Amino acid sequence: MKPEDTAVVLVEPAPVPVVRQHNAITQARYDYTACQLDIFFYLLSRLRRDDTADQEYTIYVKDVEALTGRQWNYQQLREATADMGSRMFEVENERTYQQLWMFQRVEYIKGKGCLQIQLAAPIRPFLFNLKENFTSYQLHSALKLSSKYAKRIYQLVSQWKDKTSTRTYPLDEFKQMLHLKDPKGKEPELFQNISQLKARVLDIAVRQVSEHTDLKIDYELVKKGRAYDAVRFTIARQHPQQLPIPFEQPAEDARAHAARQSLEMLGITQPQLVATILGDPKHLDQLFKFTYQLKTDKVKATKNPGGLFLKICGLR
């Protein structure tokens, strides 16, 4: 039995939200943008063993924004889910080759800031059959990564996080998994030069995964003769840098939890102020917008960001 075919079951300290994803999907060939991967990871966190076949999953946009520090408007999300619906997962083993699609239906609820998703029936076994062969990794970490290649590489290395390194991936296979190379040769290969692959994919992924997740990773390029032929990743466990949102809670509770974390970060801890902000949807919207702008340097407030936020809300 190969290591990548074995079940990797890791017990994370509560309340870390854990996404469980079948290895066949982890290693499948598919190409999602960062926005699409955010939707995908968040959706996976909502899955439960006792879900019905026609289960609907509600995603609140503000919850995703609170986790990622990135803002997605409705038009971006509509384009993202439309494209996700048309893109396929290619899953292949020694016996079969399958083409799978993610959604049965996506519905946007106007004025509510949320969307409801139904999964396509054929892909459900790959997401729910967790008895033997799955990968476990932290949703919060995956959402914090801004590079789509970092997100995919985090998936790959998470299969091996009870080891010190991954298996050695032939570069052709690795590029196909990240959709950098078309196995049929119909599309141009991306980052053919090894220096481009290092700068645009590997170096960025190593930096982001090591800074924002529970894993510290590096990579080794393997030569065959004079040319690089394969890549493997080294892995060390580390404590996550951020507190996760407990996704076992209802979505609205998760949003309040994220807001409390943001207020603590701003130094706003006075109970009356906290209650006022949490009790007003407009204040909450301003809070998530402000923290996003603060993280992206669109707001400069090095001395007293909490005071500036309260002033914007008219609370000071």
Side-chain angles (χ1 to χ4, degrees):
M1 184 176 288
K2 299 178 181 179
E4 62 268 30
D5 293 332
T6 62
V8 181
V9 184
L10 298 175
V11 180
E12 303 287 354
V16 175
V18 175
V19 174
R20 305 191 192 280
Q21 181 180 354
H22 199 288
N23 278 350
I25 295 296
T26 300
Q27 299 181 98
R29 295 188 294 271
Y30 61 95
D31 184 24
Y32 276 0
T33 66
C35 177
Q36 290 167 338
L37 284 170
D38 283 350
I39 295 171
F40 182 40
F41 290 143
Y42 193 96
L43 174 63
L44 288 175
S45 77
R46 310 300 299 184
L47 304 184
R48 298 293 179 266
R49 289 174 182 264
D50 57 351
D51 288 345
T52 61
D54 58 350
Q55 183 79 38
E56 291 184 347
Y57 302 95
T58 301
I59 296 179
Y60 286 86
V61 179
K62 292 298 182 184
D63 289 345
V64 181
E65 290 180 347
L67 272 175
T68 63
R70 296 182 293 276
Q71 288 185 312
W72 307 113
N73 60 45
Y74 251 22
Q75 185 61 34
Q76 288 173 304
L77 291 171
R78 288 176 63 179
E79 291 173 359
T81 53
D83 193 44
M84 290 172 76
S86 65
R87 290 175 184 260
M88 66 182 180
F89 291 83
E90 295 179 274
V91 180
E92 188 172 2
N93 57 34
E94 294 178 356
R95 295 180 293 104
T96 64
Y97 165 77
Q98 296 186 66
Q99 297 176 336
L100 302 170
W101 285 264
M102 180 63 66
F103 301 139
Q104 174 69 29
R105 180 180 65 87
V106 179
E107 181 176 353
Y108 286 81
I109 312 301
K110 296 180 178 179
K112 298 293 185 180
C114 67
L115 55 152
Q116 294 179 334
I117 291 174
Q118 269 187 300
L119 296 169
I123 205 168
R124 291 176 65 87
F126 291 94
L127 302 178
F128 285 92
N129 182 12
L130 310 177
K131 291 180 179 178
E132 294 183 0
N133 186 25
F134 67 85
T135 297
S136 169
Y137 59 91
Q138 293 182 354
L139 169 71
H140 188 262
S141 296
L143 287 172
K144 281 296 179 184
L145 306 174
S146 60
S147 163
K148 69 175 185 178
Y149 301 125
K151 291 173 185 285
R152 289 289 280 124
I153 288 172
Y154 181 54
Q155 288 177 271
L156 294 180
V157 298
S158 290
Q159 295 181 72
W160 302 85
K161 64 183 179 181
D162 60 338
K163 309 290 185 181
T164 57
S165 67
T166 68
R167 73 175 175 90
T168 300
Y169 294 93
L171 279 181
D172 279 350
E173 178 187 349
F174 177 72
K175 287 184 174 182
Q176 288 171 21
M177 290 168 67
L178 269 66
H179 223 273
L180 300 173
K181 184 175 183 178
D182 182 358
K184 299 179 181 179
K186 294 182 179 180
E187 298 177 5
E189 180 180 344
L190 299 178
F191 314 132
Q192 294 186 49
N193 188 295
I194 197 68
S195 62
Q196 291 179 323
L197 182 67
K198 290 171 64 177
R200 303 288 295 276
V201 178
L202 296 171
D203 290 344
I204 292 174
V206 164
R207 183 177 69 252
Q208 290 194 7
V209 170
S210 297
E211 287 180 357
H212 298 294
T213 80
D214 57 319
L215 303 179
K216 183 176 179 61
I217 68 170
D218 205 344
Y219 65 90
E220 301 172 2
L221 289 166
V222 181
K223 278 189 174 181
K224 184 177 182 180
R226 300 183 64 181
Y228 289 107
D229 180 67
V231 62
R232 63 175 168 264
F233 296 88
T234 59
I235 307 165
R237 302 292 292 270
Q238 63 179 1
H239 295 295
Q241 300 300 310
Q242 301 288 338
L243 290 174
I245 288 179
F247 278 92
E248 284 68 24
Q249 296 180 9
E252 288 301 322
D253 290 346
R255 191 180 185 213
H257 182 89
R260 288 182 184 277
Q261 287 187 317
S262 295
L263 291 172
E264 288 179 9
M265 179 192 70
L266 295 173
I268 301 173
T269 57
Q270 185 179 343
Q272 185 175 351
L273 272 177
V274 171
T276 299
I277 294 168
L278 293 179
D280 189 329
K282 291 183 179 179
H283 288 336
L284 285 178
D285 288 343
Q286 288 174 317
L287 174 62
F288 289 126
K289 181 179 179 180
F290 181 80
T291 53
Y292 168 76
Q293 291 176 333
L294 198 64
K295 290 177 182 177
T296 55
D297 292 326
K298 294 180 179 179
V299 168
K300 304 292 184 181
T302 55
K303 292 184 178 180
N304 186 13
L308 178 58
F309 170 71
L310 293 175
K311 185 176 180 180
I312 291 172
C313 290
L315 299 174
R316 172 173 291 183

